[in-house]
Amino acid sequence: MSAKALEGKIALVTGGSRGIGRAIAERLGREGALVAVGYAREEGAADEVVARIEEGGGRAFALPAALGRHGDAAALWASFDARVSAYAPDGGVDIIVNNAGIVHWTTDESALTEEQFDELFAINVRAPYFIVQEAAGRLRDQGRIINISSGLARVASPEIKGYGATKGALDTLTLNLAKELGPRGITVNSVAPGVIETDINAEWLASPDVEKYAVGISALGRIGRPDDVSGVVAFLASDDARWVTGRVVDVTGGSGL
Ligand code: NAD
């Protein structure tokens, strides 16, 4: 990949204020893309990501984009239009990274509730579906859609099976969007991380036994970091990945080999 593989491109990263989304936003910014850093509530954290990108000579803006309610995608694009016009009058977008996601853990004592099930699907599946649908004419030809899935779409993990089901649904969306948008040179892929050290599983990883297990399942003998994922996303966003579409790219450090 050349030093500035994404020069001139405009990217949206949902949930870009922390964790994997933050690493993706910063990496796309370093590659030359103008990055819209989506956030739900953590405006200060999103501003920090913007500042970090600008310090590196890149361009970015924070984008309020709480997901999980009807109308969320339309609201996201309205905010995007209002902000992007300062940089690009035509308001197009080249790269959409559907990264925002949540998990609900269950135990024998506390099963998933219907409300939690609806929330999981609203944020992890419905939002990406409508973000792409509502992007409509904004998404440019030769564009990129990258959905952050999970290795748990393919490996059973009954205590978070509702979450796993959302990522399986997301992978099916990837497949269909790739077919639908392919004639325009737009590629659509899922990236499936394994265990990555972020807030989403900080509580779980706090147990030494769990940490040992998480290290042990990877062939590479450690827990993943957000920047293990962001480099793969940057590759898929680049022109070098133009012939890769409709796939789930495993970024689990060889988990469960
Ligand atoms: P995280 O909890 O640090 O980040 C999740 C991001 O999503 C945050 O920026 C958060 O603000 C945002 N978000 C959550 N709810 C939102 C809402 N309602 N509206 C808008 N944004 C919302 O966790 P992470 O590990 O960085 O997760 C990023 C993605 O990676 C998720 O889709 C997650 O499922 C996936 N993933 C993570 C791991 C892992 O081990 N960390 C493994 C596989 C997949």
Side-chain angles (χ1 to χ4, degrees), residues 123-141:
I123 295 170
N124 295 6
V125 185
R126 195 179 68 205
Y129 185 102
F130 285 98
I131 283 171
V132 173
Q133 182 168 295
E134 296 283 327
R138 296 177 185 84
L139 183 58
R140 294 195 180 115
D141 290 356

Side-chain angles (χ1 to χ4, degrees), residues 9 16 57 73 82 112 118 127 131 138 179 182 190 194 196 210 218 223 231 238 240 243 247 251 253 256:
K9 305 291 186 191
L112 194 71
D118 287 349
I131 283 171
R138 296 177 185 84
K179 183 78 177 165
S190 283
I196 308 290
V210 170
S218 157
I223 294 173
S238 76
D240 281 347
W243 205 235
R247 298 296 158 190
V251 190

Side-chain angles (χ1 to χ4, degrees), residues 166-221:
T166 65
K167 297 302 189 180
L170 191 61
D171 291 348
T172 303
L173 182 61
T174 290
L175 186 68
N176 284 280
L177 288 172
K179 183 78 177 165
E180 187 178 339
L181 298 172
R184 294 175 50 200
I186 297 168
T187 69
V188 188
N189 291 288
S190 283
V191 165
V195 181
I196 308 290
E197 208 159 15
T198 66
D199 290 347
I200 210 170
N201 51 28
E203 214 176 298
W204 178 67
L205 281 173
S207 148
D209 283 350
V210 170
E211 193 192 356
K212 194 170 165 209
Y213 162 80
V215 168
I217 57 173
S218 157
L220 298 168

Side-chain angles (χ1 to χ4, degrees), residues 35-221:
V35 186
V37 180
Y39 68 92
R41 287 173 298 274
E42 301 159 314
E43 186 175 4
D47 287 342
E48 260 180 47
V49 177
V50 169
R52 178 71 70 88
I53 292 171
E54 288 174 346
E55 277 160 28
R59 296 184 310 156
F61 58 91
L63 183 73
L67 305 171
R69 285 188 293 274
H70 287 159
D72 54 5
L76 177 154
W77 287 118
S79 299
F80 178 89
D81 290 347
R83 286 166 175 77
V84 81
S85 56
Y87 304 87
D90 78 337
V93 64
D94 301 284
I95 301 159
I96 298 173
V97 184
N98 286 307
N99 163 79
I102 60 162
V103 65
H104 284 303
W105 296 84
T106 60
T107 63
D108 289 345
E109 294 77 40
S110 71
L112 194 71
T113 65
E114 288 182 326
E115 287 73 22
Q116 289 174 323
F117 182 96
D118 287 349
E119 188 188 26
L120 276 173
F121 273 81
I123 295 170
N124 295 6
V125 185
R126 195 179 68 205
Y129 185 102
F130 285 98
I131 283 171
V132 173
Q133 182 168 295
E134 296 283 327
R138 296 177 185 84
L139 183 58
R140 294 195 180 115
D141 290 356
Q142 318 306 321
R144 301 283 185 263
I145 297 170
I146 299 155
N147 294 322
I148 306 303
S149 176
S150 168
L152 295 182
R154 281 150 193 250
V155 175
S157 193
E159 64 281 10
I160 46 174
K161 59 183 178 291
Y163 170 81
T166 65
K167 297 302 189 180
L170 191 61
D171 291 348
T172 303
L173 182 61
T174 290
L175 186 68
N176 284 280
L177 288 172
K179 183 78 177 165
E180 187 178 339
L181 298 172
R184 294 175 50 200
I186 297 168
T187 69
V188 188
N189 291 288
S190 283
V191 165
V195 181
I196 308 290
E197 208 159 15
T198 66
D199 290 347
I200 210 170
N201 51 28
E203 214 176 298
W204 178 67
L205 281 173
S207 148
D209 283 350
V210 170
E211 193 192 356
K212 194 170 165 209
Y213 162 80
V215 168
I217 57 173
S218 157
L220 298 168

